Coordinates of all heavy atoms in Angstrom, one line a residue:
D1458 N -2.7 -0.8 12.6 CA -4.1 -1.3 12.3 C -4.8 -0.6 11.2 O -5.9 -0.9 10.8 CB -4.9 -1.4 13.6 CG -4.8 -0.2 14.5 OD1 -3.9 0.6 14.3 OD2 -5.7 -0.1 15.3
V1459 N -4.2 0.5 10.7 CA -4.9 1.2 9.5 C -4.0 1.1 8.3 O -4.4 1.8 7.3 CB -5.2 2.7 9.9 CG1 -6.2 2.7 11.0 CG2 -4.0 3.5 10.2
M1460 N -2.9 0.4 8.3 CA -2.1 0.4 7.1 C -2.4 -0.7 6.1 O -1.6 -1.5 5.7 CB -0.6 0.2 7.5 CG -0.1 1.5 8.3 SD -0.3 3.0 7.4 CE 0.8 2.9 6.0
N1461 N -3.7 -0.8 5.8 CA -4.2 -1.6 4.7 C -5.2 -0.8 4.0 O -5.8 0.2 4.5 CB -4.8 -3.0 5.2 CG -6.0 -2.8 6.0 OD1 -7.1 -2.4 5.5 ND2 -5.9 -3.0 7.3
A1462 N -5.4 -1.0 2.7 CA -6.2 -0.1 1.8 C -7.6 0.1 2.4 O -8.0 1.3 2.4 CB -6.3 -0.7 0.4
K1463 N -8.3 -0.9 2.8 CA -9.7 -0.7 3.3 C -9.7 0.2 4.6 O -10.4 1.2 4.6 CB -10.3 -2.0 3.6 CG -11.7 -1.9 4.0 CD -12.4 -3.3 4.2 CE -13.8 -3.2 4.6 NZ -14.4 -4.5 4.9
A1464 N -8.9 -0.1 5.6 CA -8.9 0.7 6.8 C -8.3 2.1 6.6 O -8.8 3.0 7.1 CB -8.0 -0.1 7.9
W1465 N -7.3 2.2 5.7 CA -6.7 3.5 5.4 C -7.8 4.4 4.9 O -7.9 5.6 5.3 CB -5.6 3.3 4.4 CG -4.8 4.6 4.1 CD1 -5.0 5.3 3.0 CD2 -3.9 5.2 4.9 NE1 -4.2 6.4 3.0 CE2 -3.4 6.4 4.2 CE3 -3.3 5.0 6.1 CZ2 -2.5 7.3 4.7 CZ3 -2.3 5.9 6.6 CH2 -1.9 7.0 5.9
K1466 N -8.6 3.9 3.9 CA -9.6 4.7 3.3 C -10.7 5.1 4.3 O -11.1 6.2 4.4 CB -10.2 4.0 2.1 CG -11.2 4.8 1.3 CD -11.7 4.1 0.1 CE -12.7 5.0 -0.7 NZ -13.2 4.3 -1.8
K1467 N -11.1 4.1 5.1 CA -12.2 4.3 6.0 C -11.8 5.1 7.2 O -12.5 6.0 7.6 CB -12.8 2.9 6.5 CG -13.8 3.0 7.5 CD -14.2 1.6 8.0 CE -15.2 1.6 9.1 NZ -14.6 1.7 10.4
D1468 N -10.7 4.8 7.8 CA -10.3 5.4 9.1 C -9.3 6.6 9.0 O -9.1 7.3 10.0 CB -9.7 4.3 10.0 CG -10.7 3.2 10.3 OD1 -11.9 3.5 10.5 OD2 -10.2 2.1 10.5
V1469 N -8.7 6.8 7.9 CA -7.7 7.9 7.8 C -8.1 8.9 6.7 O -8.4 10.1 7.0 CB -6.3 7.3 7.5 CG1 -5.3 8.5 7.5 CG2 -5.9 6.3 8.6
V1470 N -8.2 8.5 5.5 CA -8.4 9.4 4.3 C -9.8 10.1 4.5 O -9.9 11.2 4.1 CB -8.3 8.6 3.0 CG1 -8.7 9.5 1.8 CG2 -6.9 8.0 2.8
S1471 N -10.8 9.4 5.0 CA -12.1 9.9 5.1 C -12.2 11.1 6.0 O -13.2 11.9 5.8 CB -13.1 8.8 5.5 OG -12.8 8.5 6.9
F1472 N -11.3 11.3 6.9 CA -11.5 12.5 7.8 C -10.2 13.3 8.0 O -10.2 14.4 8.5 CB -12.0 12.1 9.1 CG -11.1 11.5 10.0 CD1 -10.3 12.2 10.9 CD2 -10.9 10.1 10.0 CE1 -9.4 11.6 11.8 CE2 -10.0 9.5 10.9 CZ -9.3 10.2 11.7
C1473 N -9.0 12.8 7.6 CA -7.8 13.5 7.8 C -7.4 14.4 6.6 O -7.0 13.9 5.6 CB -6.6 12.6 8.1 SG -5.1 13.4 8.5
P1474 N -7.5 15.7 6.8 CA -7.2 16.6 5.6 C -5.7 16.7 5.3 O -5.3 17.2 4.2 CB -7.7 18.0 6.1 CG -7.6 17.9 7.6 CD -7.9 16.5 8.0
G1475 N -4.8 16.0 6.0 CA -3.4 16.1 5.7 C -2.9 15.0 4.8 O -1.8 15.0 4.3
I1476 N -3.8 14.0 4.5 CA -3.4 12.9 3.6 C -3.4 13.4 2.2 O -4.3 14.1 1.8 CB -4.4 11.7 3.7 CG1 -4.5 11.2 5.2 CG2 -4.1 10.6 2.8 CD1 -3.1 10.7 5.7
G1477 N -2.3 13.1 1.5 CA -2.1 13.6 0.1 C -1.5 14.9 0.0 O -1.3 15.5 -1.1
K1478 N -1.1 15.5 1.2 CA -0.5 16.9 1.1 C 0.9 16.8 1.7 O 1.2 15.9 2.5 CB -1.4 17.8 2.0 CG -2.7 18.0 1.3 CD -3.5 19.0 2.1 CE -4.9 19.2 1.4 NZ -6.0 19.4 2.3
G1479 N 1.7 17.8 1.4 CA 3.0 18.0 2.0 C 4.0 17.0 1.5 O 4.0 16.5 0.4
K1480 N 4.9 16.6 2.5 CA 6.1 15.8 2.2 C 5.7 14.4 1.8 O 4.7 13.8 2.4 CB 6.9 15.8 3.5 CG 8.2 15.0 3.3 CD 9.0 15.0 4.6 CE 10.2 14.1 4.5 NZ 11.0 14.1 5.7
L1481 N 6.4 13.8 0.9 CA 6.2 12.4 0.6 C 7.1 11.6 1.5 O 8.3 11.7 1.6 CB 6.7 12.1 -0.9 CG 6.6 10.7 -1.3 CD1 5.1 10.2 -1.3 CD2 7.2 10.5 -2.7
H1482 N 6.5 10.8 2.4 CA 7.2 10.0 3.4 C 7.5 8.7 2.7 O 6.7 8.0 2.2 CB 6.3 9.8 4.6 CG 6.0 11.1 5.4 ND1 7.0 11.6 6.1 CD2 5.0 11.9 5.4 CE1 6.5 12.8 6.7 NE2 5.3 12.9 6.2
S1483 N 8.8 8.3 2.8 CA 9.3 7.1 2.2 C 8.8 5.8 2.9 O 8.4 5.9 4.1 CB 10.8 7.1 2.3 OG 11.3 6.9 3.6
P1484 N 8.8 4.7 2.2 CA 8.4 3.5 2.9 C 9.3 3.2 4.1 O 8.8 2.7 5.1 CB 8.7 2.4 1.8 CG 8.5 3.1 0.5 CD 9.1 4.5 0.8
E1485 N 10.6 3.6 4.1 CA 11.4 3.4 5.2 C 11.0 4.2 6.4 O 11.0 3.7 7.5 CB 12.9 3.7 4.8 CG 13.5 2.8 3.8 CD 13.1 3.1 2.4 OE1 12.6 4.2 2.1 OE2 13.2 2.2 1.5
F1486 N 10.6 5.4 6.2 CA 10.1 6.3 7.2 C 8.8 5.7 7.8 O 8.7 5.6 9.0 CB 9.9 7.7 6.7 CG 9.2 8.6 7.8 CD1 10.0 9.2 8.7 CD2 7.8 8.8 7.8 CE1 9.4 10.0 9.7 CE2 7.2 9.6 8.7 CZ 8.0 10.2 9.7
I1487 N 7.9 5.3 6.9 CA 6.7 4.7 7.4 C 6.9 3.5 8.2 O 6.3 3.3 9.3 CB 5.7 4.4 6.2 CG1 5.3 5.8 5.5 CG2 4.5 3.6 6.6 CD1 4.7 5.6 4.2
E1488 N 7.8 2.6 7.8 CA 8.2 1.4 8.6 C 8.7 1.8 9.9 O 8.4 1.2 10.9 CB 9.2 0.6 7.8 CG 8.6 -0.2 6.6 CD 7.7 -1.3 7.1 OE1 7.9 -2.0 8.1 OE2 6.7 -1.6 6.3
S1489 N 9.5 2.8 10.0 CA 10.1 3.3 11.2 C 9.0 3.7 12.2 O 9.0 3.4 13.4 CB 11.1 4.4 11.0 OG 11.5 5.0 12.2
E1490 N 8.0 4.5 11.7 CA 6.9 4.9 12.5 C 6.0 3.8 13.0 O 5.6 3.7 14.1 CB 6.0 5.9 11.7 CG 6.7 7.2 11.4 CD 7.2 8.0 12.6 OE1 6.3 8.6 13.3 OE2 8.4 8.0 13.0
L1491 N 5.8 2.8 12.0 CA 5.1 1.6 12.4 C 5.8 0.9 13.5 O 5.1 0.4 14.5 CB 4.9 0.7 11.2 CG 3.9 1.2 10.1 CD1 4.1 0.3 8.9 CD2 2.5 1.1 10.6
N1492 N 7.1 0.8 13.4 CA 7.9 0.1 14.5 C 7.8 0.8 15.8 O 7.8 0.2 16.9 CB 9.3 -0.2 14.0 CG 9.4 -1.3 13.0 OD1 8.6 -2.2 12.9 ND2 10.4 -1.1 12.1
K1493 N 7.9 2.1 15.8 CA 7.7 2.9 17.0 C 6.4 2.6 17.7 O 6.3 2.4 18.9 CB 7.9 4.4 16.7 CG 9.3 4.8 16.4 CD 9.3 6.3 16.0 CE 10.6 6.7 15.4 NZ 10.5 8.1 14.9
E1494 N 5.3 2.6 16.9 CA 4.0 2.4 17.4 C 3.9 0.9 17.9 O 3.3 0.7 19.0 CB 2.9 2.7 16.4 CG 1.5 2.4 16.9 CD 1.1 3.3 18.1 OE1 1.6 4.4 18.3 OE2 0.2 2.8 18.8
L1495 N 4.4 0.0 17.2 CA 4.4 -1.4 17.6 C 5.1 -1.6 18.9 O 4.7 -2.3 19.8 CB 4.9 -2.3 16.6 CG 4.0 -2.6 15.4 CD1 4.7 -3.3 14.3 CD2 2.7 -3.4 15.8
S1496 N 6.3 -1.0 19.1 CA 7.1 -1.1 20.3 C 6.3 -0.5 21.5 O 6.3 -1.0 22.6 CB 8.4 -0.3 20.2 OG 9.2 -1.0 19.2
A1497 N 5.7 0.7 21.3 CA 4.9 1.3 22.3 C 3.7 0.4 22.7 O 3.4 0.2 23.9 CB 4.3 2.6 21.9
E1498 N 3.0 -0.2 21.7 CA 1.9 -1.1 22.0 C 2.4 -2.3 22.8 O 1.7 -2.8 23.7 CB 1.2 -1.5 20.7 CG 0.4 -0.4 20.1 CD -0.2 -0.8 18.7 OE1 -0.2 -2.0 18.4 OE2 -0.6 0.1 18.0
K1499 N 3.5 -2.8 22.4 CA 4.1 -4.0 23.1 C 4.4 -3.7 24.6 O 4.1 -4.4 25.5 CB 5.3 -4.5 22.5 CG 5.9 -5.8 23.0 CD 7.1 -6.3 22.2 CE 7.6 -7.6 22.9 NZ 8.7 -8.1 22.1
E1500 N 5.0 -2.5 24.8 CA 5.2 -2.0 26.2 C 3.9 -1.8 27.0 O 3.8 -2.2 28.1 CB 6.0 -0.7 26.2 CG 6.3 -0.2 27.6 CD 7.0 1.1 27.6 OE1 7.8 1.4 26.7 OE2 6.8 1.9 28.6

Side-chain angles (χ1 to χ4, degrees):
D1458 47 343
V1459 298
M1460 292 307 290
N1461 65 71
K1463 184 177 180 182
W1465 183 259
K1466 185 176 180 182
K1467 176 182 175 272
D1468 297 326
V1469 181
V1470 175
S1471 66
F1472 76 92
C1473 181
I1476 301 301
K1478 296 185 178 141
K1480 180 180 178 180
L1481 178 66
H1482 295 284
S1483 70
E1485 294 79 18
F1486 174 84
I1487 294 168
E1488 285 291 326
S1489 174
E1490 295 298 285
L1491 288 167
N1492 287 330
K1493 288 175 191 173
E1494 180 59 26
L1495 285 170
S1496 292
E1498 289 176 14
K1499 186 175 180 180
E1500 179 183 330

